[in-house]
Amino acid sequence: MGIGPKEASGDVVPSDQGVVIGSPLPPFAPTHVSHKQVEAYPIAAAEFRSDGSGRIALKGGILIDVPAGFASRGAPTEGDMLVRYEPIPGQSDGYLSHSPRAVFEAGYAPIRGKDVASDAGPHFVTAAAWVCHEVNRAICATFGHDVQPDWIEAPDWQRDSAMKGVEFALANPDAPPSAQHEAWMADKLAQGWRYGEIKDADARTHPCLVAYDDLPADQRVKDHTFRAVVTAMRTLQVSHLVPGAEPTAFADLGSAA
């Protein structure tokens, strides 16, 4: 378990109630991912001493005692994020820092629980879905399609859709791109979406809810590209598990329909 959230106080830092966590901290449990994994929670309140040490109350969470120097370059305020980096030799608890929430959320995406349990390893699904999403945005821009928001700004349903696509590709490495589309369409229909000439998230209509063979070429290329990205990322992941190994083919996910 990580440092939060658990049942605790309200919006102030109590001195004699709640669960206080000092050192050592509980095992590192990352909650967000970017170029690295971190554990992060919103701050409800904080109080500090002249040496920069103090106590932080997490929203809906517990109380964290922070060491001297933590607030020496500016104290966090309500709504900022308490950030814990993965423990390394010499920092057995992991480095504690803080960040304005908007700045933090612009650079990190939440880690989904199902991703942690992925057979491809912790957070692979999030990373692959993120890359696939951005590649899809580039394809949409190239062909003049409606361009979705970037991964950080994308709504949960859009992120979840990309992550389900990665999970399908991993579970079905020999499936053709047409099967990738069919799996996407089945999920969309199950979520209440239907065919419509205009993509509309509020009305849940999408022009690609048709048979794969009825898609225009500039839409079919998205399924080919999606599987190619997952293949490349998984291949690199596997090759790096063996020191000195050269990247080799993991699976042919880009075969023709």
Side-chain angles (χ1 to χ4, degrees), residues 31-123:
T31 62
H32 293 74
V33 62
S34 179
H35 60 289
K36 62 180 65 177
Q37 300 165 21
V38 300
E39 187 176 359
Y41 302 96
I43 295 172
E47 58 182 15
F48 297 98
R49 306 177 185 90
S50 59
D51 65 356
S53 65
R55 178 171 293 177
I56 289 175
L58 304 180
K59 286 190 174 181
I62 57 180
L63 308 177
I64 304 295
D65 282 336
V66 294
F70 181 87
S72 60
R73 290 183 294 177
T77 59
E78 180 181 357
D80 287 353
M81 301 293 287
L82 175 68
V83 183
R84 179 188 183 190
Y85 293 87
E86 187 171 10
I88 59 175
Q91 292 180 343
S92 58
D93 274 347
Y95 177 69
L96 286 176
S97 184
H98 58 90
S99 171
R101 186 161 189 166
V103 174
F104 177 82
E105 292 182 342
Y108 285 86
I111 293 171
R112 310 299 172 87
K114 64 182 179 182
D115 188 24
V116 175
S118 169
D119 289 339
H123 323 312

Side-chain angles (χ1 to χ4, degrees), residues 197-218:
E197 293 184 359
I198 298 175
K199 180 180 177 181
D200 187 328
D202 294 328
R204 296 198 175 189
T205 59
H206 203 300
C208 291
L209 287 172
V210 297
Y212 181 79
D213 290 341
D214 293 333
L215 289 172
D218 58 0

Side-chain angles (χ1 to χ4, degrees), residues 119 164-180 183-184 227 230-231 250-255:
D119 289 339
K164 287 176 181 177
V166 172
E167 290 170 340
F168 178 84
L170 291 172
N172 301 275
D174 297 322
S178 58
Q180 191 77 32
W184 170 85
R227 296 183 70 81
V230 176
T231 302
F250 170 67
D252 182 11
L253 300 187
S255 56

